[in-house]
Each structure stands twice: as structure tokens, then as C-alpha cells.
């Protein structure tokens, strides 16, 4: 699951085994379902928000990523390229605020890490992580770059760097 703060309070996105993603709002001590997105043929396996909380990104067991417009409550487009279940999604902002929708970094059990350009709606870089499935990924922004660490099922941990052009 993933959460995002909006004007109405905290909103939670929860991925389900049936391929759906449901948005829930925190209402006192209870939760209220806001909307259900149906876009994956198999289980939804990974979620991420953009900085504004206006777009949600979901990865599925079929290896596809869906970009959702949370405000309009619709799927915008689908990114295809992984050959295994998506294990992590991270949104990266673009230095020119508002002019570019940013990038996604995704990992999968296919052993790949991919960088997607959301303006082009296309994968712009693919790297083979190792011999095993990629099971985890973490990103931290540093001075002029994003630092990425991946963990694989074969016990390897690797570091990656994406230069941030200002």
C-alpha cells in the first residue's frame, strides 16, 4: 500500500490480488473507499505516488505499469516492458518544474531495472541487475543525482546512480 496527504486528509492506495487498486480516505478512526481502479490482469504488486498526489503508478504481476489520474479517476496509459512481476516503482521529479511529468524507476522479478520517461511514455534505459530476481529497490536523492540500491534474490545488493541535469 501507499499513502498521500491531500486536502481531505490522508489517502491510502491499496493493491489487491485481483488486480484492483482501491483508494481509501482516513475518516476519523475509520476508512472510506473513494474509488477502485481496475487495470491489471493479475495481482497488483507495487504502488507509488507523484509528489502532488495527482498520479498513482501501479505495477502488476503481468509485468505492466499503469499510470492513473487520481483526480479524473482514470487510467492514463500503460507501460509494457518487464517480463516478470513488478517489485518496485519509484517516481522521480524533473528539474524543470511542471514542464515534464518526470520519470519512473521500476524493478521486476525478470532481473531488470528500468528507467521510464513519462513524457515519452517509453523506457529509456534498461539494466540487468544480476542473475536473480530483483526483490527490492530504494532511492535517495543526493547532490545532483539519485542513488539507487537494488536487492536480488541471489543475495546481491547493487548501487546505481542517475545524474540529475539541472
Amino acid at each position: 500500500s501507499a499513502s498521500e496527504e491531500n486536502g481531505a486528509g490522508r489517502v491510502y492506495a491499496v493493491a489487491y490480488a485481483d488486480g484492483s487498486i482501491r483508494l481509501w480516505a482516513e475518516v476519523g478512526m475509520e476508512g472510506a473507499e473513494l474509488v477502485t481502479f481496475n487495470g491489471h490482469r493479475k495481482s497488483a504488486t507495487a504502488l507509488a505516488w507523484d509528489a502532488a498526489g495527482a498520479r498513482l503508478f501501479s505495477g502488476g504481476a503481468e509485468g505492466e505499469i499503469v499510470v492513473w489520474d487520481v483526480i479524473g479517476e482514470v487510467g492514463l496509459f500503460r507501460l509494457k516492458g518487464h517480463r516478470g512481476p513488478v517489485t518496485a516503482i519509484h517516481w522521480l521529479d524533473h528539474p524543470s518544474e511542471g514542464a515534464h511529468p518526470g520519470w519512473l524507476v521500476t524493478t521486476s522479478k525478470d532481473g531488470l531495472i528500468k528507467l521510464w520517461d513519462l513524457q515519452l511514455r517509453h523506457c529509456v534505459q534498461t539494466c540487468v541487475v544480476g542473475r536473480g530476481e530483483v526483490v527490492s529497490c530504494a532511492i535517495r536523492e543526493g547532490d545532483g543525482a539519485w542513488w539507487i540500491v537494488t536487492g536480488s534474490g541471489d543475495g546481491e545488493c547493487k548501487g546505481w546512480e542517475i545524474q540529475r541535469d539541472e
Side-chain angles (χ1 to χ4, degrees):
S1 70
S3 67
E4 180 65 34
E5 189 80 31
N6 71 9
R10 189 161 291 283
V11 174
Y12 297 89
V14 181
Y16 290 86
D18 66 1
S20 67
I21 296 101
R22 293 190 181 109
L23 299 186
W24 296 85
E26 190 175 9
V27 181
M29 297 299 289
E30 301 291 321
E33 185 176 343
L34 300 175
V35 65
T36 299
F37 295 128
N38 294 298
H40 293 283
R41 294 184 308 275
K42 296 182 179 180
S43 298
T45 56
L47 297 170
W49 295 93
D50 69 0
R55 286 177 300 163
L56 179 67
F57 311 100
S58 63
E62 76 284 343
E64 297 177 359
I65 296 101
V66 179
V67 178
W68 302 97
D69 176 347
V70 174
I71 297 162
E73 298 182 357
V74 296
L76 297 175
F77 54 92
R78 187 177 301 271
L79 302 170
K80 298 179 181 182
H82 281 297
R83 296 181 312 269
V86 176
T87 56
I89 302 174
H90 295 275
W91 176 79
L92 305 176
D93 64 336
H94 191 276
S96 58
E97 299 172 20
H100 188 286
W103 299 280
L104 289 181
V105 172
T106 60
T107 58
S108 171
K109 288 187 176 184
D110 62 8
L112 303 175
I113 183 170
K114 291 183 170 282
L115 177 65
W116 305 86
D117 185 314
L118 293 175
Q119 186 166 353
L120 298 175
R121 299 180 181 185
H122 187 72
C123 178
V124 294
Q125 178 121 26
T126 300
C127 295
V128 176
V129 174
R131 295 179 307 275
E133 301 174 340
V134 183
V135 295
S136 63
C137 177
I139 297 182
R140 183 174 187 150
E141 190 171 351
D143 292 334
W146 288 283
W147 301 95
I148 303 169
V149 177
T150 57
S152 299
D154 60 6
E156 286 191 1
C157 183
K158 289 191 177 178
W160 310 83
E161 177 184 7
I162 300 175
Q163 288 295 316
R164 183 182 175 114
D165 295 330
E166 295 297 332

